[in-house]
Amino acid sequence: MGGFSFRNLIFSLVIAILVWGSSIETCNARRGKHWRNRSGTFSSLYKKKGKNHGHVEKSKPKPKPNNPLPIPEEPIAPVQKGLKFNVLDYGAKGDGNSDDTKAFQGAWADACKVEASSMIVPSGYEFLVGPISFSGPYCQRNILFQLDGTIIAPTNSKAWGKGLLQWLEFTKLVGLTIKGKGTIDGRGSVWWTNSIFDDPIDNEQQLLVPLQNITMTKNPQISNSLDGKMPSVKPTAVRFYGSFNVTVTGITIQNSPQCHLKFDNCDGVLVYSLSVSSPGNSPNTDGIHLQNSRNVLIHTADLACGDDCISIQTGCTNVYVHDVNCGPGHGISIGSLGKDGTTACVSNITVRDVNMHNTMTGVRIKTWQGGSGSVQGVLFSNIQVSEVQFPIMIDQYYCDHSSCNNHTSAVAVSNIAYENIKGTYTVKPVHISCSDNMPCMDVKLTDIELNPMPKGYHMYDPFCWQAFGELYAPTVPEIDCLQEGKPSSSWDPDDTGCAL
């Protein structure tokens, strides 16, 4: 009886101890659930990785908690300035035959995200690139487009569809610089051949007359071995639109289908050490075209083309051009302005220290009848001309068609100074033809010395119509057609609708 009771007592104690230990373990597990789960997971993964050489055994999926915590976002790395993005790293071949457009798009997409980055177009390669837009406005500032290789345009009409206004476009950017020793080649001969006789020409060509038995003809067609008719809309090679503080330097732009380099709606433009090259009979191939742009500096440039070396259009103000070589081409022009009755405003333009050789005009202003607005505050100074047809010109009867209607309204022209214009001409030294209702006012001619070339031939005498201003110092030849003082029907520059 006693033995049985002792065994029962021992058995009861063992059961009690087991039950008590189980309750303690359960409480500890509940208190440390989250810590133990995380610790156990990392510990088990570490052990399995070391044992199985990185191959983790599959585990059963854990049930999702009822109220999951939000996953923290990955921290964004700080901007690293100065990164370089080479188009070769994005698949560009640079063999002149493969289409490298996508590679350029990829390199630009990454460069666009990094402030002060560089997009590299390396030397020793020829990249075939179709129409492309390097665009903002969400790109970072101060991107460098380092151009040391050659970019060529497609000559297949399929690449252009029905025609585009530009080939390489840079839009809504701040602080962009195109720099290098490379070349942008528009391969424009295929465009010129198909449309050379369809393009309008400057009406100054109508003033040309045969010299003795020399017959003046239209420019001959430019030969081209490429097949396929291109669209009627010809693209500008390089265009900047809506951009601030942009620079183009060192590069060569050649054989553009139309204008070579255009700035539209830009503020703060610097162009220097630039070369533009296309044949003198390539139609409408302006060198540098400015429109609705302000605070522009162009210097130390060699411009040879088939139209204006520099064209300054409506909406331009504070433009300074110096140390430029121009020719062949149509000179440096303000206009044409006021076409189709539009209002044009141009002011504060300085062009000085320029050499012109074998150009149609030298420094000129050209406006359409029927327009409105004004051209005010223009200085052409220290211009050396050589065998230029019309060195000095203001033409308020501009028309690039065979016939144009007469209108009484005109873009007003005032405060225009020509000083130290010297060299040789082949047709007429001075042609200033102004509106009957809006005569040119405050035209100043100083130190003009222009001699005919070739000597011995009779050229046109200086011509002025409704032009008022002053002559300073003797002029060669004598310019006696400029009227002194103000016209009887003078107008107020403040009433032209253009804010200075």
Side-chain angles (χ1 to χ4, degrees):
M1 183 72 179
F4 177 78
S5 299
F6 179 77
R7 283 196 304 269
N8 287 343
L9 179 62
I10 295 299
F11 180 77
S12 300
L13 288 174
V14 170
I15 294 299
I17 292 172
L18 291 174
V19 172
W20 178 72
S22 175
S23 64
I24 293 177
E25 179 66 19
T26 301
C27 293
N28 286 338
R30 290 175 180 172
R31 281 199 304 268
K33 179 179 179 180
H34 300 292
W35 178 86
R36 288 172 63 88
N37 284 346
R38 289 197 299 269
S39 176
T41 301
F42 292 142
S43 177
S44 62
L45 287 177
Y46 177 79
K47 291 178 181 179
K48 291 179 180 179
K49 184 176 180 180
K51 181 177 180 180
N52 298 316
H53 304 288
H55 298 284
V56 181
E57 295 180 2
K58 294 184 179 180
S59 58
K60 295 181 180 180
K62 295 182 179 179
K64 295 182 179 180
N66 294 329
N67 298 310
L69 296 175
I71 300 174
E73 295 182 358
E74 183 178 353
I76 299 175
V79 174
Q80 301 180 40
K81 297 182 180 181
L83 292 182
K84 297 181 179 181
F85 302 91
N86 193 316
V87 294
L88 295 177
D89 296 332
Y90 291 81
K93 303 299 183 183
D95 57 12
N97 295 312
S98 303
D99 187 352
D100 292 325
T101 307
K102 290 185 178 180
F104 273 65
Q105 290 172 333
W108 174 259
D110 287 344
C112 171
K113 302 172 185 176
V114 182
E115 183 179 351
S117 63
S118 298
M119 178 172 167
I120 307 298
V121 183
S123 61
Y125 296 89
E126 189 175 72
F127 301 95
L128 175 62
V129 177
I132 187 172
S133 178
F134 304 97
S135 60
Y138 303 109
C139 286
Q140 296 296 319
R141 297 175 175 234
N142 304 324
I143 297 174
L144 171 63
F145 192 99
Q146 183 68 40
L147 175 58
D148 293 313
T150 298
I151 302 175
I152 61 175
T155 55
N156 186 335
S157 60
K158 293 181 180 180
W160 301 97
K162 296 182 179 180
L164 296 172
L165 296 177
Q166 55 272 327
W167 170 31
L168 307 176
E169 183 182 37
F170 296 84
T171 177
K172 298 181 181 179
L173 300 168
V174 178
L176 179 81
T177 296
I178 299 179
K179 178 182 179 182
K181 299 179 180 180
T183 299
I184 295 174
D185 189 347
R187 301 203 287 180
S189 61
V190 67
W191 301 81
W192 309 329
T193 303
N194 291 327
S195 60
I196 188 169
F197 292 130
D198 298 329
D199 285 288
I201 59 174
D202 281 307
N203 68 333
E204 282 73 23
Q205 293 281 6
Q206 300 172 5
L207 302 178
L208 298 177
V209 294
L211 300 178
Q212 290 187 348
N213 295 325
I214 300 175
T215 301
M216 305 295 291
T217 61
K218 287 186 177 181
N219 293 328
Q221 269 194 318
I222 302 170
S223 61
N224 173 45
S225 60
L226 298 173
D227 296 328
K229 186 175 181 180
M230 303 301 281
S232 59
V233 178
K234 301 192 296 292
T236 289
V238 181
R239 178 185 183 234
F240 283 85
Y241 174 78
S243 296
F244 296 87
N245 297 334
V246 296
T247 300
V248 179
T249 179
I251 67 171
T252 296
I253 307 176
Q254 65 188 29
N255 300 323
S256 175
Q258 196 170 20
C259 177
H260 287 78
L261 177 61
K262 179 182 290 187
F263 296 93
D264 192 356
N265 277 286
C266 293
D267 190 345
V269 173
L270 173 60
V271 179
Y272 66 99
S273 299
L274 175 77
S275 177
V276 167
S277 177
S278 64
N281 58 352
S282 55
N284 301 111
T285 52
D286 293 39
I288 301 174
H289 181 100
L290 305 175
Q291 182 170 328
N292 294 315
S293 294
R294 57 191 299 125
N295 303 318
V296 178
L297 173 59
I298 301 171
H299 69 90
T300 322
D302 294 315
L303 308 175
C305 54
D307 210 311
D308 296 326
C309 291
I310 298 176
S311 173
I312 302 171
Q313 299 293 326
T314 183
C316 290
T317 185
N318 297 339
V319 177
Y320 183 27
V321 177
H322 70 89
D323 292 287
V324 169
N325 295 316
C326 171
H330 291 186
I332 295 178
S333 299
I334 297 175
S336 59
L337 305 173
K339 186 176 183 179
D340 298 327
T342 56
T343 299
C345 299
V346 175
S347 63
N348 195 17
I349 310 296
T350 298
V351 178
R352 64 186 313 151
D353 304 319
V354 173
N355 292 316
M356 296 191 179
H357 176 69
N358 193 27
T359 60
M360 187 182 73
T361 59
V363 283
R364 68 169 166 172
I365 299 170
K366 51 180 179 175
T367 68
W368 290 75
Q369 294 185 73
S372 61
S374 68
V375 179
Q376 301 183 55
V378 178
L379 171 63
F380 298 114
S381 176
N382 195 24
I383 311 296
Q384 186 69 38
V385 297
S386 174
E387 299 182 51
V388 172
Q389 295 173 15
F390 306 92
I392 296 175
M393 175 172 285
I394 298 176
D395 184 3
Q396 287 194 282
Y397 296 89
Y398 180 80
C399 172
D400 61 9
H401 306 304
S402 58
S403 64
C404 290
N405 296 326
N406 291 326
H407 297 276
T408 56
S409 60
V411 177
V413 176
S414 68
N415 191 16
I416 313 298
Y418 296 88
E419 63 179 34
N420 196 26
I421 315 294
K422 298 182 178 181
T424 59
Y425 66 94
T426 61
V427 177
K428 184 187 298 184
V430 176
H431 181 92
I432 303 178
S433 181
C434 300
S435 167
D436 289 329
N437 294 314
M438 299 286 286
C440 298
M441 298 195 308
D442 298 322
V443 177
K444 302 177 180 64
L445 298 173
T446 305
D447 292 331
I448 308 301
E449 186 177 338
L450 298 169
N451 296 293
M453 176 62 70
K455 294 182 179 179
Y457 288 92
H458 175 72
M459 306 293 181
Y460 283 106
D461 293 328
F463 173 82
C464 308
W465 180 260
Q466 293 295 332
F468 293 81
E470 298 180 8
L471 289 174
Y472 295 91
T475 61
V476 178
E478 182 180 359
I479 305 173
D480 56 6
C481 59
L482 185 67
Q483 302 181 59
E484 295 184 358
K486 301 282 186 181
S488 57
S489 59
S490 62
W491 45 271
D492 189 343
D494 294 334
D495 296 335
T496 61
C498 296
L500 295 178

